[in-house]
Amino acid sequence: AQSVTQLDSQVPVFEEAPVELRCNYSSSVSVYLFWYVQYPNQGLQLLLKYLSGSTLVKGINGFEAEFNKSQTSFHLRKPSVHISDTAEYFCAVSESGSEKLVFGKGTKLTVNP
Amino acid sequence: DAGVIQSPRHEVTEMGQEVTLRCKPISGHDYLFWYRQTMMRGLELLIYFNNNVPIDDSGMPEDRFSAKMPNASFSTLKIQPSEPRDSAVYFCASSGATAYEQYFGPGTRLTVT
């Protein structure tokens, strides 16, 4: 069965600093990978997705992620964060052909001035 | 587009009472998902529908939970009788032909006392 591990439950950073949120997955078949963001008291919003092709994926709000098949990772990065990036970020995996998403436990990103 | 609509946004009820959560998916979407989010267990898929037909309800915790989708624009999740451990945020999400690009509603925060 597929699973997702987000290695950090909380990540505090200062404004304009770079950030990396880590995600590892396990699956015996090929997968699709996703990052969602949840702002306080809101639903989840899709940030970016990897389905196939280039392993470097660009999303909204300046975020990007890189799929590394050998390390089964899909880390999320942003070179310079803003206060408004404070939110919880969820990594998710779907086995190719499956309609179900399995989510990680989430990483709370706090951007401090 | 109004996005996925959920009602109520907040529900407080006493143990033993029936609770009904409602969801209106995005028009034209084929898939509808119900999730539950708690601090302990994270985001869990309860059940999902395709073209109004339940496809996988393996995440429904027990017989007290039931979900229906009588038409393409409406779904309900019912808990009867409710228990304090059902307290959580319940999300509805919908998607088009590519089921994994899911659009989430704002959630219903359920508190059972």
Side-chain angles (χ1 to χ4, degrees):
Chain A
Q2 54 195 320
S3 66
V4 178
T5 301
Q6 291 185 242
L7 297 161
D8 306 298
S9 60
Q10 297 190 50
V11 173
V13 295
F14 288 109
E15 193 173 17
E16 297 184 6
V19 70
E20 178 180 82
L21 306 183
R22 297 180 291 170
C23 172
N24 287 88
Y25 69 92
S26 67
S27 176
S28 57
V29 299
S30 60
V31 296
Y32 299 150
L33 294 156
F34 309 84
W35 277 98
Y36 281 80
V37 60
Q38 184 180 27
Y39 298 103
N41 299 314
Q42 295 186 28
L44 279 70
Q45 176 184 356
L46 182 64
L47 258 185
L48 49 79
K49 62 182 183 288
Y50 170 79
L51 305 180
S52 65
S54 172
T55 56
L56 184 62
V57 178
K58 294 188 183 300
I60 61 172
N61 301 339
F63 284 92
E64 64 181 30
E66 186 157 19
F67 170 52
N68 187 319
K69 188 174 182 179
S70 62
Q71 297 186 8
T72 60
S73 68
F74 190 56
H75 300 334
L76 181 71
R77 302 185 183 99
K78 186 169 182 177
S80 175
V81 293
H82 303 289
I83 299 285
S84 59
D85 293 322
T86 294
E88 190 157 17
Y89 293 79
F90 292 89
C91 182
V93 63
S94 171
E95 293 185 341
S96 301
S98 171
E99 296 145 345
K100 295 167 66 169
L101 287 177
V102 173
F103 286 86
K105 290 287 182 69
T107 297
K108 287 188 178 177
L109 174 65
T110 302
V111 181
N112 298 301
Chain B
D1 196 327
V4 176
I5 299 172
Q6 290 187 248
S7 65
R9 292 293 312 274
H10 301 273
E11 176 81 33
V12 180
T13 191
E14 293 183 348
M15 183 174 64
Q17 296 298 306
E18 177 180 296
V19 175
T20 300
L21 312 181
R22 298 173 175 79
C23 175
K24 177 178 169 55
I26 293 173
S27 177
H29 278 187
D30 300 323
Y31 290 89
L32 185 138
F33 303 81
W34 281 102
Y35 290 91
R36 178 172 67 176
Q37 185 179 40
T38 61
M39 291 288 289
M40 291 295 294
R41 301 173 68 89
L43 198 62
E44 304 172 279
L45 176 65
L46 299 178
I47 184 172
Y48 77 95
F49 297 81
N50 181 24
N51 292 323
N52 314 336
V53 176
I55 302 300
D56 187 338
D57 65 354
S58 59
M60 296 285 261
E62 48 197 274
D63 292 344
R64 298 185 296 107
F65 286 69
S66 63
K68 294 182 179 179
M69 192 165 186
N71 56 62
S73 59
F74 184 66
S75 177
T76 60
L77 177 68
K78 187 175 293 187
I79 308 172
Q80 166 64 16
S82 58
E83 297 182 2
R85 60 193 168 121
D86 302 330
S87 297
V89 180
Y90 291 80
F91 288 102
C92 174
S94 71
S95 64
T98 52
Y100 38 78
E101 289 198 41
Q102 297 179 16
Y103 294 80
F104 282 73
T108 295
R109 182 174 296 276
L110 173 65
T111 303
V112 183
T113 61

mmCIF file with all atom_site columns, all heavy atoms in Angstrom, chain B residues 27-40:
data_model
loop_
_atom_site.group_PDB
_atom_site.id
_atom_site.type_symbol
_atom_site.label_atom_id
_atom_site.label_alt_id
_atom_site.label_comp_id
_atom_site.label_asym_id
_atom_site.label_entity_id
_atom_site.label_seq_id
_atom_site.pdbx_PDB_ins_code
_atom_site.Cartn_x
_atom_site.Cartn_y
_atom_site.Cartn_z
_atom_site.occupancy
_atom_site.B_iso_or_equiv
_atom_site.pdbx_formal_charge
_atom_site.auth_seq_id
_atom_site.auth_comp_id
_atom_site.auth_asym_id
_atom_site.auth_atom_id
_atom_site.pdbx_PDB_model_num
ATOM 1   N N   . SER B 1 27 ? -19.943 22.322 -10.577 1.00 0.00 ? 27 SER B N   1
ATOM 2   C CA  . SER B 1 27 ? -20.764 21.862 -11.684 1.00 0.00 ? 27 SER B CA  1
ATOM 3   C C   . SER B 1 27 ? -19.903 21.212 -12.770 1.00 0.00 ? 27 SER B C   1
ATOM 4   O O   . SER B 1 27 ? -18.866 21.756 -13.165 1.00 0.00 ? 27 SER B O   1
ATOM 5   C CB  . SER B 1 27 ? -21.527 23.053 -12.279 1.00 0.00 ? 27 SER B CB  1
ATOM 6   O OG  . SER B 1 27 ? -22.278 22.657 -13.405 1.00 0.00 ? 27 SER B OG  1
ATOM 7   N N   . GLY B 1 28 ? -20.338 20.032 -13.208 1.00 0.00 ? 28 GLY B N   1
ATOM 8   C CA  . GLY B 1 28 ? -19.620 19.329 -14.268 1.00 0.00 ? 28 GLY B CA  1
ATOM 9   C C   . GLY B 1 28 ? -18.580 18.347 -13.764 1.00 0.00 ? 28 GLY B C   1
ATOM 10  O O   . GLY B 1 28 ? -18.030 17.569 -14.550 1.00 0.00 ? 28 GLY B O   1
ATOM 11  N N   . HIS B 1 29 ? -18.290 18.389 -12.490 1.00 0.00 ? 29 HIS B N   1
ATOM 12  C CA  . HIS B 1 29 ? -17.323 17.430 -11.950 1.00 0.00 ? 29 HIS B CA  1
ATOM 13  C C   . HIS B 1 29 ? -17.965 16.051 -11.784 1.00 0.00 ? 29 HIS B C   1
ATOM 14  O O   . HIS B 1 29 ? -19.124 15.930 -11.388 1.00 0.00 ? 29 HIS B O   1
ATOM 15  C CB  . HIS B 1 29 ? -16.780 17.929 -10.611 1.00 0.00 ? 29 HIS B CB  1
ATOM 16  C CG  . HIS B 1 29 ? -15.677 18.914 -10.764 1.00 0.00 ? 29 HIS B CG  1
ATOM 17  N ND1 . HIS B 1 29 ? -14.948 19.396 -9.698  1.00 0.00 ? 29 HIS B ND1 1
ATOM 18  C CD2 . HIS B 1 29 ? -15.146 19.493 -11.861 1.00 0.00 ? 29 HIS B CD2 1
ATOM 19  C CE1 . HIS B 1 29 ? -14.019 20.226 -10.135 1.00 0.00 ? 29 HIS B CE1 1
ATOM 20  N NE2 . HIS B 1 29 ? -14.134 20.313 -11.446 1.00 0.00 ? 29 HIS B NE2 1
ATOM 21  N N   . ASP B 1 30 ? -17.146 15.016 -12.081 1.00 0.00 ? 30 ASP B N   1
ATOM 22  C CA  . ASP B 1 30 ? -17.655 13.652 -12.057 1.00 0.00 ? 30 ASP B CA  1
ATOM 23  C C   . ASP B 1 30 ? -17.435 12.949 -10.727 1.00 0.00 ? 30 ASP B C   1
ATOM 24  O O   . ASP B 1 30 ? -18.121 11.985 -10.411 1.00 0.00 ? 30 ASP B O   1
ATOM 25  C CB  . ASP B 1 30 ? -16.961 12.813 -13.141 1.00 0.00 ? 30 ASP B CB  1
ATOM 26  C CG  . ASP B 1 30 ? -17.191 13.379 -14.527 1.00 0.00 ? 30 ASP B CG  1
ATOM 27  O OD1 . ASP B 1 30 ? -18.298 13.869 -14.780 1.00 0.00 ? 30 ASP B OD1 1
ATOM 28  O OD2 . ASP B 1 30 ? -16.259 13.333 -15.348 1.00 0.00 ? 30 ASP B OD2 1
ATOM 29  N N   . TYR B 1 31 ? -16.432 13.417 -9.982  1.00 0.00 ? 31 TYR B N   1
ATOM 30  C CA  . TYR B 1 31 ? -16.054 12.738 -8.751  1.00 0.00 ? 31 TYR B CA  1
ATOM 31  C C   . TYR B 1 31 ? -16.366 13.618 -7.548  1.00 0.00 ? 31 TYR B C   1
ATOM 32  O O   . TYR B 1 31 ? -16.194 14.839 -7.579  1.00 0.00 ? 31 TYR B O   1
ATOM 33  C CB  . TYR B 1 31 ? -14.556 12.424 -8.742  1.00 0.00 ? 31 TYR B CB  1
ATOM 34  C CG  . TYR B 1 31 ? -14.135 11.353 -9.703  1.00 0.00 ? 31 TYR B CG  1
ATOM 35  C CD1 . TYR B 1 31 ? -13.779 11.663 -11.014 1.00 0.00 ? 31 TYR B CD1 1
ATOM 36  C CD2 . TYR B 1 31 ? -14.082 10.018 -9.305  1.00 0.00 ? 31 TYR B CD2 1
ATOM 37  C CE1 . TYR B 1 31 ? -13.399 10.677 -11.898 1.00 0.00 ? 31 TYR B CE1 1
ATOM 38  C CE2 . TYR B 1 31 ? -13.679 9.026  -10.189 1.00 0.00 ? 31 TYR B CE2 1
ATOM 39  C CZ  . TYR B 1 31 ? -13.345 9.363  -11.475 1.00 0.00 ? 31 TYR B CZ  1
ATOM 40  O OH  . TYR B 1 31 ? -12.956 8.384  -12.354 1.00 0.00 ? 31 TYR B OH  1
ATOM 41  N N   . LEU B 1 32 ? -16.763 12.937 -6.460  1.00 0.00 ? 32 LEU B N   1
ATOM 42  C CA  . LEU B 1 32 ? -16.968 13.642 -5.194  1.00 0.00 ? 32 LEU B CA  1
ATOM 43  C C   . LEU B 1 32 ? -16.364 12.805 -4.078  1.00 0.00 ? 32 LEU B C   1
ATOM 44  O O   . LEU B 1 32 ? -16.582 11.586 -4.013  1.00 0.00 ? 32 LEU B O   1
ATOM 45  C CB  . LEU B 1 32 ? -18.462 13.876 -4.931  1.00 0.00 ? 32 LEU B CB  1
ATOM 46  C CG  . LEU B 1 32 ? -18.750 14.709 -3.674  1.00 0.00 ? 32 LEU B CG  1
ATOM 47  C CD1 . LEU B 1 32 ? -19.858 15.721 -3.933  1.00 0.00 ? 32 LEU B CD1 1
ATOM 48  C CD2 . LEU B 1 32 ? -19.052 13.864 -2.467  1.00 0.00 ? 32 LEU B CD2 1
ATOM 49  N N   . PHE B 1 33 ? -15.605 13.473 -3.221  1.00 0.00 ? 33 PHE B N   1
ATOM 50  C CA  . PHE B 1 33 ? -14.877 12.807 -2.138  1.00 0.00 ? 33 PHE B CA  1
ATOM 51  C C   . PHE B 1 33 ? -15.291 13.417 -0.805  1.00 0.00 ? 33 PHE B C   1
ATOM 52  O O   . PHE B 1 33 ? -15.461 14.625 -0.697  1.00 0.00 ? 33 PHE B O   1
ATOM 53  C CB  . PHE B 1 33 ? -13.369 13.000 -2.316  1.00 0.00 ? 33 PHE B CB  1
ATOM 54  C CG  . PHE B 1 33 ? -12.813 12.517 -3.630  1.00 0.00 ? 33 PHE B CG  1
ATOM 55  C CD1 . PHE B 1 33 ? -12.912 13.307 -4.770  1.00 0.00 ? 33 PHE B CD1 1
ATOM 56  C CD2 . PHE B 1 33 ? -12.190 11.292 -3.723  1.00 0.00 ? 33 PHE B CD2 1
ATOM 57  C CE1 . PHE B 1 33 ? -12.399 12.878 -5.991  1.00 0.00 ? 33 PHE B CE1 1
ATOM 58  C CE2 . PHE B 1 33 ? -11.668 10.847 -4.933  1.00 0.00 ? 33 PHE B CE2 1
ATOM 59  C CZ  . PHE B 1 33 ? -11.774 11.638 -6.064  1.00 0.00 ? 33 PHE B CZ  1
ATOM 60  N N   . TRP B 1 34 ? -15.380 12.569 0.207   1.00 0.00 ? 34 TRP B N   1
ATOM 61  C CA  . TRP B 1 34 ? -15.563 13.022 1.592   1.00 0.00 ? 34 TRP B CA  1
ATOM 62  C C   . TRP B 1 34 ? -14.320 12.630 2.398   1.00 0.00 ? 34 TRP B C   1
ATOM 63  O O   . TRP B 1 34 ? -13.918 11.463 2.404   1.00 0.00 ? 34 TRP B O   1
ATOM 64  C CB  . TRP B 1 34 ? -16.792 12.389 2.238   1.00 0.00 ? 34 TRP B CB  1
ATOM 65  C CG  . TRP B 1 34 ? -18.099 13.014 1.853   1.00 0.00 ? 34 TRP B CG  1
ATOM 66  C CD1 . TRP B 1 34 ? -19.007 12.541 0.951   1.00 0.00 ? 34 TRP B CD1 1
ATOM 67  C CD2 . TRP B 1 34 ? -18.673 14.215 2.380   1.00 0.00 ? 34 TRP B CD2 1
ATOM 68  N NE1 . TRP B 1 34 ? -20.091 13.382 0.872   1.00 0.00 ? 34 TRP B NE1 1
ATOM 69  C CE2 . TRP B 1 34 ? -19.917 14.410 1.753   1.00 0.00 ? 34 TRP B CE2 1
ATOM 70  C CE3 . TRP B 1 34 ? -18.249 15.150 3.327   1.00 0.00 ? 34 TRP B CE3 1
ATOM 71  C CZ2 . TRP B 1 34 ? -20.743 15.495 2.036   1.00 0.00 ? 34 TRP B CZ2 1
ATOM 72  C CZ3 . TRP B 1 34 ? -19.070 16.227 3.610   1.00 0.00 ? 34 TRP B CZ3 1
ATOM 73  C CH2 . TRP B 1 34 ? -20.304 16.396 2.968   1.00 0.00 ? 34 TRP B CH2 1
ATOM 74  N N   . TYR B 1 35 ? -13.737 13.638 3.094   1.00 0.00 ? 35 TYR B N   1
ATOM 75  C CA  . TYR B 1 35 ? -12.569 13.423 3.930   1.00 0.00 ? 35 TYR B CA  1
ATOM 76  C C   . TYR B 1 35 ? -12.881 13.861 5.356   1.00 0.00 ? 35 TYR B C   1
ATOM 77  O O   . TYR B 1 35 ? -13.734 14.705 5.599   1.00 0.00 ? 35 TYR B O   1
ATOM 78  C CB  . TYR B 1 35 ? -11.386 14.273 3.448   1.00 0.00 ? 35 TYR B CB  1
ATOM 79  C CG  . TYR B 1 35 ? -10.770 13.874 2.137   1.00 0.00 ? 35 TYR B CG  1
ATOM 80  C CD1 . TYR B 1 35 ? -11.221 14.417 0.939   1.00 0.00 ? 35 TYR B CD1 1
ATOM 81  C CD2 . TYR B 1 35 ? -9.698  12.984 2.102   1.00 0.00 ? 35 TYR B CD2 1
ATOM 82  C CE1 . TYR B 1 35 ? -10.630 14.072 -0.265  1.00 0.00 ? 35 TYR B CE1 1
ATOM 83  C CE2 . TYR B 1 35 ? -9.099  12.636 0.897   1.00 0.00 ? 35 TYR B CE2 1
ATOM 84  C CZ  . TYR B 1 35 ? -9.574  13.185 -0.276  1.00 0.00 ? 35 TYR B CZ  1
ATOM 85  O OH  . TYR B 1 35 ? -8.980  12.839 -1.468  1.00 0.00 ? 35 TYR B OH  1
ATOM 86  N N   . ARG B 1 36 ? -12.098 13.318 6.278   1.00 0.00 ? 36 ARG B N   1
ATOM 87  C CA  . ARG B 1 36 ? -12.153 13.753 7.662   1.00 0.00 ? 36 ARG B CA  1
ATOM 88  C C   . ARG B 1 36 ? -10.729 14.144 8.077   1.00 0.00 ? 36 ARG B C   1
ATOM 89  O O   . ARG B 1 36 ? -9.773  13.411 7.794   1.00 0.00 ? 36 ARG B O   1
ATOM 90  C CB  . ARG B 1 36 ? -12.665 12.629 8.557   1.00 0.00 ? 36 ARG B CB  1
ATOM 91  C CG  . ARG B 1 36 ? -12.711 12.970 10.039  1.00 0.00 ? 36 ARG B CG  1
ATOM 92  C CD  . ARG B 1 36 ? -13.414 11.891 10.824  1.00 0.00 ? 36 ARG B CD  1
ATOM 93  N NE  . ARG B 1 36 ? -12.696 10.640 10.855  1.00 0.00 ? 36 ARG B NE  1
ATOM 94  C CZ  . ARG B 1 36 ? -13.095 9.567  11.551  1.00 0.00 ? 36 ARG B CZ  1
ATOM 95  N NH1 . ARG B 1 36 ? -14.219 9.621  12.256  1.00 0.00 ? 36 ARG B NH1 1
ATOM 96  N NH2 . ARG B 1 36 ? -12.403 8.461  11.530  1.00 0.00 ? 36 ARG B NH2 1
ATOM 97  N N   . GLN B 1 37 ? -10.599 15.271 8.771   1.00 0.00 ? 37 GLN B N   1
ATOM 98  C CA  . GLN B 1 37 ? -9.280  15.740 9.211   1.00 0.00 ? 37 GLN B CA  1
ATOM 99  C C   . GLN B 1 37 ? -9.268  15.888 10.721  1.00 0.00 ? 37 GLN B C   1
ATOM 100 O O   . GLN B 1 37 ? -10.085 16.603 11.298  1.00 0.00 ? 37 GLN B O   1
ATOM 101 C CB  . GLN B 1 37 ? -8.934  17.089 8.556   1.00 0.00 ? 37 GLN B CB  1
ATOM 102 C CG  . GLN B 1 37 ? -7.533  17.582 8.866   1.00 0.00 ? 37 GLN B CG  1
ATOM 103 C CD  . GLN B 1 37 ? -7.213  18.907 8.192   1.00 0.00 ? 37 GLN B CD  1
ATOM 104 O OE1 . GLN B 1 37 ? -8.032  19.812 8.117   1.00 0.00 ? 37 GLN B OE1 1
ATOM 105 N NE2 . GLN B 1 37 ? -5.988  19.025 7.669   1.00 0.00 ? 37 GLN B NE2 1
ATOM 106 N N   . THR B 1 38 ? -8.326  15.198 11.365  1.00 0.00 ? 38 THR B N   1
ATOM 107 C CA  . THR B 1 38 ? -8.112  15.330 12.802  1.00 0.00 ? 38 THR B CA  1
ATOM 108 C C   . THR B 1 38 ? -6.627  15.510 13.060  1.00 0.00 ? 38 THR B C   1
ATOM 109 O O   . THR B 1 38 ? -5.788  15.171 12.211  1.00 0.00 ? 38 THR B O   1
ATOM 110 C CB  . THR B 1 38 ? -8.601  14.088 13.574  1.00 0.00 ? 38 THR B CB  1
ATOM 111 O OG1 . THR B 1 38 ? -7.846  12.944 13.107  1.00 0.00 ? 38 THR B OG1 1
ATOM 112 C CG2 . THR B 1 38 ? -10.073 13.836 13.360  1.00 0.00 ? 38 THR B CG2 1
ATOM 113 N N   . MET B 1 39 ? -6.312  16.015 14.235  1.00 0.00 ? 39 MET B N   1
ATOM 114 C CA  . MET B 1 39 ? -4.905  16.201 14.586  1.00 0.00 ? 39 MET B CA  1
ATOM 115 C C   . MET B 1 39 ? -4.186  14.854 14.645  1.00 0.00 ? 39 MET B C   1
ATOM 116 O O   . MET B 1 39 ? -3.052  14.726 14.204  1.00 0.00 ? 39 MET B O   1
ATOM 117 C CB  . MET B 1 39 ? -4.794  16.912 15.935  1.00 0.00 ? 39 MET B CB  1
ATOM 118 C CG  . MET B 1 39 ? -5.242  18.346 15.923  1.00 0.00 ? 39 MET B CG  1
ATOM 119 S SD  . MET B 1 39 ? -4.073  19.386 15.055  1.00 0.00 ? 39 MET B SD  1
ATOM 120 C CE  . MET B 1 39 ? -2.714  19.370 16.209  1.00 0.00 ? 39 MET B CE  1
ATOM 121 N N   . MET B 1 40 ? -4.878  13.857 15.195  1.00 0.00 ? 40 MET B N   1
ATOM 122 C CA  . MET B 1 40 ? -4.222  12.572 15.415  1.00 0.00 ? 40 MET B CA  1
ATOM 123 C C   . MET B 1 40 ? -4.015  11.786 14.118  1.00 0.00 ? 40 MET B C   1
ATOM 124 O O   . MET B 1 40 ? -2.957  11.181 13.908  1.00 0.00 ? 40 MET B O   1
ATOM 125 C CB  . MET B 1 40 ? -5.060  11.718 16.374  1.00 0.00 ? 40 MET B CB  1
ATOM 126 C CG  . MET B 1 40 ? -5.074  12.242 17.796  1.00 0.00 ? 40 MET B CG  1
ATOM 127 S SD  . MET B 1 40 ? -3.433  12.177 18.540  1.00 0.00 ? 40 MET B SD  1
ATOM 128 C CE  . MET B 1 40 ? -3.186  10.405 18.612  1.00 0.00 ? 40 MET B CE  1
#
